[in-house]
Amino acid sequence: MDSWLRVVLVIVSCFFPLMVECRVRHYHFNVMMKNTTRLCSTKPIVVVNGKFPGPTLYAGEDDTVLVRVTNHVHYNITIHWHGVKQIRTGWSDGPAYVTQCPIQPGQNYVYNFTLTGQRGTLWWHAHILWLRSTVHGAIVILPKRGVPYPFPTPDKEVIVILAEWWKSDTEAVINQAMQSGLAPNVSDSHLINGHPGLLSNCSSKGGFTLNVHSGKTYMLRVINAALNEDLFFKVAGHDFTVVEVDATYTKPFSTDTLLITPGQTTNVLLTADKSSGKYLITISPFVDAPVAFDNVTGTATLQYSGTLATAATTLVKPPPQNSSQLANNYITWLRSLNSNKYPAKVPLKLDHSLMFTVGLGVNPCAACSNGRRVVADINNFTFVMPTFAMLQAHYFNVSGVFTDDFPGNPPMTFNYSGNTPSNLQTNNGTKAYRMAYNSSVQVVIQDTAFLAPESHPVHLHGFNFFQVGRGLGDFDSKNDPKKFNLVDPVERNTIAVPAGGWIAIRFIANNPGVWFLHCHFEVHTSWGLKMAFVVDNGEGPNESILPPPHDLPSC
């Protein structure tokens, strides 16, 4: 069944409202260049529909969404709908050369997917090169008609997108780094809804302003679209109530500081409990590893209605960038709502128990300036991007694109978070791990101290997962599982592996296709910290990958 026949069937079904409630949402994304000025300098950037950040995609739970993406720039392009499960529709997932060949200049492609059983805040972004630095925007999935939020209904909802800004062209930044074999230059500033704010020497009209009315409650849909930075988020004089992460409801808790890694979303309630005034909003990096980072604080302003323009702004001091205890406490507070209506269906029996070590390495590079290149890896394999889409190779049984022998455990054991072997070299390959439909899977992801221990925000395409365990140091396979939370662990699509530590996640592989797993620090992805899962078709009529659409781009 091709994409357009699927749409016809959905439209026909909508003529029977007693049987099904649904809508088909149509969008057109024109990818284009636009000259943009930040930090007193102007450069051309890639944007969608002339906007930075890009347009918000609104839909409802179980709606079908069609987005025609037309490429007007000289780069190849793909769009990933981050967190959308893409049940049987991997052709619309978006990672270049994994589920599709990219959309070439002058071409277009219709992404066609259904938001099955999802509601909340997600986001979309380019999934090729470093183009997501400016090609990104929000996805708002509203609950079904008549279904309330499981928390007090806010008076207004506001999208807040956090990002980074380079004065240089980001493609030149990563290309220069890959040629030298060294780390790329860090960004020049952090942005809130596209602006660096008041603390920049070259602020753009003061930055973003969140206008509020005293006594009203606002739901902030906060998205970290940054390429390479975990970020703290604060508002002077105000607390947040966290109610959702990655489009899954949480047990509400109060905090004055959010921690959001690249790829994650967080919905919070903020009550305007002051009578008037201006209050500083800050985003700042969380870095607890000896690596370079952008220490420029991005700012915005929360302003009460009726406040004089000349009123002073109440300031707030960002947390120290190495506030590990604050970060760990925040992550510990996150729990699934686990109500009767929104249960936490944690897999209890396992078909696959995997362990992935993640980290950095150094490989020979004849073309690099010092003869070596920094790389990243999972289980000592640095992923090599193919030139043909893996999903197409899987679906049409094309050999030579990838192999399905990715190791389920590290090639050797050692003190992962302590002294590491002297050989920092990794293996190269385009490898996937294969499993049967409906398999239950546990993956322990262990950071290593190769070069330096570092946090890794890991994103899994095609699924949500439960973080059942987390700790510092080396994972203890005998004792740590005894402390796993199998009742109400947080459910996410992107999770941070702590520097020098580990996480354990569980999910059910009930979505056939080829699904990317990678670090959402773009520099680590560029260096090869990525792999793919292949989930075979099941036996039932709704357990197989749908046929590819007629307009699927070719390589």
Side-chain angles (χ1 to χ4, degrees):
M1 185 187 301
D2 69 24
S3 58
W4 292 108
L5 181 55
R6 288 180 61 227
V7 174
V8 170
L9 291 179
V10 170
I11 294 173
V12 169
S13 70
C14 289
F15 284 108
F16 301 94
L18 295 179
M19 297 173 59
V20 63
E21 178 188 349
C22 58
R23 289 186 180 181
V24 179
R25 309 274 185 163
H26 294 267
Y27 288 87
H28 192 175
F29 280 13
N30 284 297
V31 181
M32 59 184 66
M33 303 299 297
K34 181 181 181 181
N35 285 332
T36 303
T37 302
R38 297 290 186 273
L39 306 179
C40 296
S41 64
T42 301
K43 68 173 183 177
I45 63 173
V46 183
V47 297
V48 170
N49 296 353
K51 297 181 178 181
F52 172 66
T56 299
L57 190 156
Y58 289 93
E61 181 179 349
D62 293 336
D63 283 358
T64 292
V65 179
L66 284 85
V67 187
R68 179 179 294 276
V69 176
T70 303
N71 185 2
H72 299 283
V73 301
H74 61 282
Y75 298 107
N76 288 342
I77 194 74
T78 69
I79 301 293
H80 171 50
W81 316 95
H82 188 111
V84 173
K85 293 180 182 177
Q86 299 289 355
I87 304 297
R88 305 173 64 208
T89 55
W91 311 107
S92 290
D93 191 40
Y97 302 107
V98 177
T99 59
Q100 68 165 100
C101 300
I103 306 167
Q104 299 177 23
Q107 302 298 310
N108 61 74
Y109 176 49
V110 176
Y111 290 90
N112 180 355
F113 52 89
T114 299
L115 299 164
T116 305
Q118 293 189 268
R119 85 293 301 168
T121 303
L122 297 172
W123 65 300
W124 58 264
H125 59 82
H127 211 301
I128 187 170
L129 308 173
W130 274 28
L131 296 181
R132 78 173 171 92
S133 62
T134 56
V135 180
H136 58 249
I139 302 175
V140 174
I141 311 172
L142 299 172
K144 292 179 180 179
R145 186 177 304 171
V147 177
Y149 295 129
F151 47 80
T153 302
D155 297 292
K156 187 178 181 180
E157 301 180 8
V158 181
I159 293 167
V160 180
I161 299 180
L162 318 180
E164 293 168 284
W165 182 263
W166 280 260
K167 291 182 180 180
S168 301
D169 175 66
T170 50
E171 293 311 306
V173 170
I174 184 58
N175 288 340
Q176 181 183 17
M178 296 300 284
Q179 290 168 9
S180 69
L182 303 175
N185 293 335
V186 300
S187 57
D188 296 295
S189 182
H190 294 102
L191 308 179
I192 301 177
N193 282 350
H195 298 280
L198 295 167
L199 297 186
S200 164
N201 291 330
C202 292
S203 60
S204 50
K205 299 180 181 178
F208 169 70
T209 298
L210 172 60
N211 294 302
V212 301
H213 292 268
S214 183
K216 301 292 186 181
T217 297
Y218 298 80
M219 184 162 75
L220 308 184
R221 298 177 178 267
V222 188
I223 299 165
N224 186 350
L227 263 63
N228 296 314
E229 306 249 328
D230 298 333
L231 294 171
F232 288 123
F233 180 83
K234 293 181 70 72
V235 177
H238 294 75
D239 288 343
F240 310 108
T241 301
V242 177
V243 294
E244 177 200 302
V245 294
D246 292 2
T248 61
Y249 296 132
T250 64
K251 287 183 171 64
F253 68 91
S254 180
T255 179
D256 65 359
T257 306
L258 305 182
L259 173 63
I260 314 179
T261 71
Q264 292 182 339
T265 65
T266 304
N267 282 9
V268 298
L269 301 180
L270 180 149
T271 298
D273 53 7
K274 306 293 188 293
S275 58
S276 64
K278 297 179 183 177
Y279 298 84
L280 191 69
I281 303 171
T282 64
I283 60 168
S284 59
F286 165 55
V287 183
D288 59 351
V291 295
F293 64 96
D294 175 3
N295 201 25
V296 177
T297 301
T299 69
T301 304
L302 182 149
Q303 180 169 322
Y304 280 77
S305 175
T307 299
L308 296 176
T310 55
T313 299
T314 300
L315 303 181
V316 64
K317 186 177 181 180
Q321 83 274 359
N322 61 348
S323 300
S324 298
Q325 190 61 53
L326 174 62
N328 289 330
N329 288 343
Y330 178 85
I331 294 169
T332 301
W333 294 331
L334 290 168
R335 291 284 188 273
S336 288
L337 185 58
N338 194 28
S339 65
N340 290 334
K341 189 168 186 178
Y342 304 104
K345 298 179 180 179
V346 185
L348 300 180
K349 296 182 179 180
L350 300 174
D351 298 310
H352 299 267
S353 186
L354 311 176
M355 183 171 182
F356 290 174
T357 54
V358 296
L360 307 181
V362 178
N363 283 352
C365 174
C368 297
S369 56
N370 61 356
R372 299 183 302 169
R373 169 179 290 162
V374 178
V375 295
D377 66 278
I378 304 177
N379 277 354
N380 206 47
F381 271 96
T382 295
F383 190 87
V384 177
M385 290 301 292
T387 56
F388 186 81
M390 297 174 69
L391 180 58
Q392 284 179 269
H394 168 61
Y395 185 87
F396 292 108
N397 198 26
V398 177
S399 62
V401 177
F402 69 93
T403 59
D404 59 4
D405 57 347
F406 186 86
N409 287 283
M412 63 178 181
T413 58
F414 55 93
N415 182 1
Y416 303 116
S417 57
N419 295 325
T420 57
S422 57
N423 182 8
L424 300 180
Q425 190 167 335
T426 70
N427 298 306
N428 297 320
T430 307
K431 294 180 179 291
Y433 186 92
R434 184 179 295 271
M435 47 197 166
Y437 181 85
N438 224 31
S439 297
S440 55
V441 186
Q442 176 178 288
V443 187
V444 174
I445 307 178
Q446 170 77 57
D447 182 39
T448 60
F450 280 94
L451 298 187
E454 192 171 352
S455 172
H456 298 280
V458 175
H459 173 47
L460 175 61
H461 292 227
F463 305 94
N464 280 2
F465 53 75
F466 294 97
Q467 179 193 276
V468 297
R470 182 178 185 272
L472 298 178
D474 285 10
F475 175 70
D476 183 338
S477 60
K478 181 179 180 180
N479 294 310
D480 284 330
K482 298 175 184 177
K483 297 176 283 186
F484 281 179
N485 177 5
L486 303 179
V487 177
D488 62 349
V490 67
E491 182 179 354
R492 309 207 72 144
N493 62 59
T494 306
I495 199 75
V497 181
W502 57 272
I503 60 166
I505 64 173
R506 291 187 180 187
F507 65 98
I508 300 294
N510 55 3
N511 192 7
V514 177
W515 305 108
F516 215 18
L517 177 106
H518 63 98
C519 182
H520 227 269
F521 284 156
E522 203 64 29
V523 58
H524 292 169
T525 299
S526 300
W527 285 344
L529 206 163
K530 46 197 172 183
M531 57 82 67
F533 288 108
V534 175
V535 180
D536 288 324
N537 288 337
E539 297 179 357
N542 296 319
E543 298 177 357
S544 298
I545 305 168
L546 290 168
H550 66 88
D551 61 341
L552 186 70
S554 57
C555 290

